Amino acid sequence: MKTLPPRNNTVSHHQNDSLYDDDGRPRRTGTVWTTSSHIITAVIGSGVLSLAWSIAQLGWIGGPIVMIFFSLVTLYTSYFLANCYRAGDPITGKRSYTYMEAIDNILGGKNSIFCGIIQYANLYGITIGYTIGAALSMMAITKIQCIYSSEGEDPCIISGNRYLIGFGIIQLGFSQLPDFHNISWLSVLAAVMSFTYSIIGLILGIIKMAGNGTIMGSITGAKGESPMDRVRGIFLALGNIAFAYAFSTILIEIQDTIKSPNELKTMKVASKISVATTTIFYVLCGCIGYGAFGDSAPGNLLTAFDKPIWPIIIANLAIVIHLVGAYQVYSQPLFAFVEQQASKRWPSLEIERTVEMPFLPSFKLNNFRLIWRSIFVVVTTFISMLIPFFNDILGVIGALGFWPLTVYFPVEMYIKQMKIEKWSGKWIGLQCLSMFCLLVTIAALVGSVVGVLLDLSKFKPFSSQL
């Protein structure tokens, strides 16, 4: 039995200085490449599969412009947020381990409570979205195999419940990884998988366009069954694209894995590499998917293909593997927050014991971590079975997190840190950006919530099918 290392800001004289950072925590080892892997794992997720549908709602002109707009805003505000990791001096200032701590250190007041509610609700929502996305891909693999083996005679209606439960069982194991610092290998693997299925989707889209003999779609996008349906589609597309770029919710936690003393420089370089990479992939995937299917582009691009069988199976398998890692990238900050709050009140909860198993390396088990994280995964899986609405859930999550977490708080912290004078030209420009993004968020949230309500009127709980 032993307890965790001290969490204070000074290194104990009993500790080896080479093994610990200036705050007494184990030395961070993150580089530009591991940081980029974390970001790409978080950003290039299941949201990429909905981009063809999103461009179908916005058209050939609006779709790419909106994607580039979101990428620039995300990159711009990620620089602001990266500056907030250390309060004051970027080299020696006090570290913020979470987004909430950064806001508390810089803005103070009730801002951190508001941020925490939005951030952790957003993280929890993302894990639900990823559970649904992974189950859809597993269902697609089974459906393709069924169609292939029956030579198209069997309609192959696949129920999703067992796949949702199966993904939950997988996460029961991975959720016991102690913290963010122990999942770099999983993020690297997940990032490779994200490129795998994106490239396969691109190739299949190009083949489809070649088979069509034309590039489908229109300048203005899908017409919709009614004007209101058209507006809802545009608003939902904004939410889906916002979701596709979201990683501000975990930026501080990712930055806390970077080797000192260049956390700020490394984070900015990694953000630039990651956002540029994802934007290129997004524009290509979205545009090629729209060009292949036009206004009928599906909400999940890969579900539109049933042959060639092996590339599609590999792509869907890559999605599942990627979402296993992405689920952890988004849930680990939430795990850490709950466990830190609990340990402050009940220090004995930090106690770990070493477990030895035959033919396997020993590992450290914490009873509280085992119980609470297992409950988290079970509840997430249960909710995913209740509301298996992939597209609209992504839109709600993206809309809820975009303005407050990606724009508002980073802008406000930057203004205070840089001591930008109120009503100066720069202050007005930043406030205009924030207000415009707020309007985009409201529009996206309205469209997404209406979509969920329509889904609820059509579907029964625990009855997801493909």
Side-chain angles (χ1 to χ4, degrees):
M1 306 267 291
K2 74 171 194 173
T3 58
L4 296 173
R7 296 177 183 266
N8 55 26
N9 291 328
T10 59
V11 181
S12 168
H13 65 276
H14 297 295
Q15 297 170 344
N16 185 338
D17 288 0
S18 66
L19 300 178
Y20 295 88
D21 274 326
D22 58 332
D23 59 347
R25 295 194 173 189
R27 185 167 293 279
R28 297 154 178 87
T29 58
T31 64
V32 167
W33 302 114
T34 60
T35 306
S36 298
S37 295
H38 283 315
I39 297 172
I40 290 172
T41 298
V43 178
I44 300 184
S46 53
V48 71
L49 303 175
S50 69
L51 292 178
W53 181 90
S54 297
I55 290 187
Q57 310 310 305
L58 301 168
W60 279 117
I61 293 179
I65 289 175
V66 169
M67 271 200 258
I68 292 171
F69 166 77
F70 275 99
S71 71
L72 292 176
V73 170
T74 300
L75 181 62
Y76 190 48
T77 57
S78 71
Y79 287 173
F80 294 167
L81 196 52
N83 278 299
C84 301
Y85 173 63
R86 286 185 183 268
D89 189 277
I91 303 297
T92 61
K94 180 184 177 183
R95 298 174 189 264
S96 296
Y97 303 116
T98 67
Y99 202 143
M100 279 185 70
E101 284 186 30
I103 289 174
D104 193 47
N105 290 335
I106 297 170
L107 297 179
K110 296 182 179 179
N111 289 288
S112 62
I113 297 174
F114 174 64
C115 165
I117 293 171
I118 297 294
Q119 181 191 7
Y120 294 115
N122 191 264
L123 291 174
Y124 191 67
I126 289 172
T127 61
I128 293 171
Y130 281 174
T131 301
I132 297 169
L136 283 172
S137 290
M138 289 188 279
M139 292 161 68
I141 292 172
T142 304
K143 187 180 184 75
I144 292 166
Q145 290 175 324
C146 174
I147 292 172
Y148 181 76
S149 61
S150 68
E151 298 181 346
E153 295 181 3
D154 189 333
C156 298
I157 304 301
I158 308 299
S159 173
N161 287 339
R162 60 175 175 169
Y163 298 98
L164 290 164
I165 294 171
F167 186 77
I169 291 172
I170 292 170
Q171 291 302 339
L172 282 174
F174 279 102
S175 67
Q176 294 306 313
L177 292 169
D179 53 41
F180 226 131
H181 305 274
N182 290 272
I183 64 170
S184 292
W185 65 271
L186 188 58
S187 285
V188 171
L189 175 62
V192 171
M193 292 298 102
S194 68
F195 284 115
T196 299
Y197 67 73
S198 297
I199 291 171
I200 291 174
L202 281 172
I203 294 171
L204 292 175
I206 292 170
I207 293 172
K208 174 68 174 175
M209 278 198 299
N212 293 339
T214 184
I215 297 176
M216 301 181 70
S218 64
I219 292 175
T220 56
K223 302 300 181 185
E225 296 179 2
S226 67
M228 286 303 297
D229 188 56
R230 164 80 167 143
V231 171
R232 186 189 73 83
I234 292 173
F235 286 177
L236 178 54
L238 294 176
N240 284 351
I241 294 173
F243 173 83
Y245 277 103
F247 77 97
S248 297
T249 48
I250 55 172
L251 185 146
I252 296 293
E253 285 82 355
I254 291 175
Q255 196 166 348
D256 192 44
T257 68
I258 298 173
K259 181 167 54 178
S260 297
N262 297 314
E263 300 99 344
L264 178 58
K265 181 180 178 181
T266 299
M267 192 70 210
K268 287 186 174 182
V269 172
S271 295
K272 189 180 297 183
I273 292 171
S274 304
V275 172
T277 302
T278 54
T279 300
I280 292 170
F281 263 82
Y282 282 178
V283 172
L284 286 174
C285 288
C287 289
I288 289 175
Y290 183 44
F293 294 98
D295 294 346
S296 62
N300 183 330
L301 181 61
L302 285 175
T303 60
F305 301 101
D306 55 16
K307 58 183 181 181
I309 182 171
W310 286 112
I312 298 171
I313 289 176
I314 292 170
N316 279 289
L317 184 60
I319 291 172
V320 175
I321 296 172
H322 172 262
L323 293 182
V324 169
Y327 185 106
Q328 288 303 312
V329 167
Y330 277 101
S331 61
Q332 284 292 341
L334 202 159
F335 292 159
F337 172 75
V338 171
E339 286 156 22
Q340 286 170 8
Q341 296 304 309
S343 65
K344 287 178 182 177
R345 178 167 296 196
W346 302 289
S348 62
L349 293 180
E350 287 192 320
I351 296 174
E352 294 180 329
R353 55 193 175 90
T354 301
V355 177
E356 304 281 351
M357 296 186 68
F359 311 110
L360 291 174
S362 62
F363 64 94
K364 293 180 175 59
L365 181 67
N366 175 276
N367 290 334
F368 177 68
R369 184 169 67 222
L370 176 64
I371 295 169
W372 118 257
R373 293 190 184 189
S374 297
I375 293 172
F376 174 93
V377 172
V378 169
V379 174
T380 301
T381 305
F382 181 79
I383 294 174
S384 301
M385 295 168 68
L386 281 174
I387 49 171
F389 318 132
F390 181 71
N391 242 32
D392 293 324
I393 290 296
L394 296 192
V396 171
I397 296 167
L400 282 174
F402 176 65
W403 177 71
L405 300 177
T406 301
V407 181
Y408 174 73
F409 283 122
V411 165
E412 292 301 312
M413 286 191 287
Y414 178 77
I415 288 173
K416 186 162 184 179
Q417 277 195 311
M418 298 295 107
K419 299 178 180 175
I420 297 173
E421 187 177 346
K422 196 171 185 179
W423 302 113
S424 65
K426 192 168 186 178
W427 185 90
I428 292 172
L430 290 171
Q431 294 299 333
C432 286
L433 171 66
S434 182
M435 287 300 101
F436 179 76
C437 290
L438 173 60
L439 295 176
V440 171
T441 290
I442 293 171
L445 186 60
V446 169
S448 302
V449 169
V450 170
V452 170
L453 293 176
L454 290 174
D455 287 335
L456 288 171
S457 68
K458 298 176 186 176
F459 293 91
K460 295 180 180 179
F462 307 106
S463 61
S464 62
Q465 292 182 336
L466 183 63

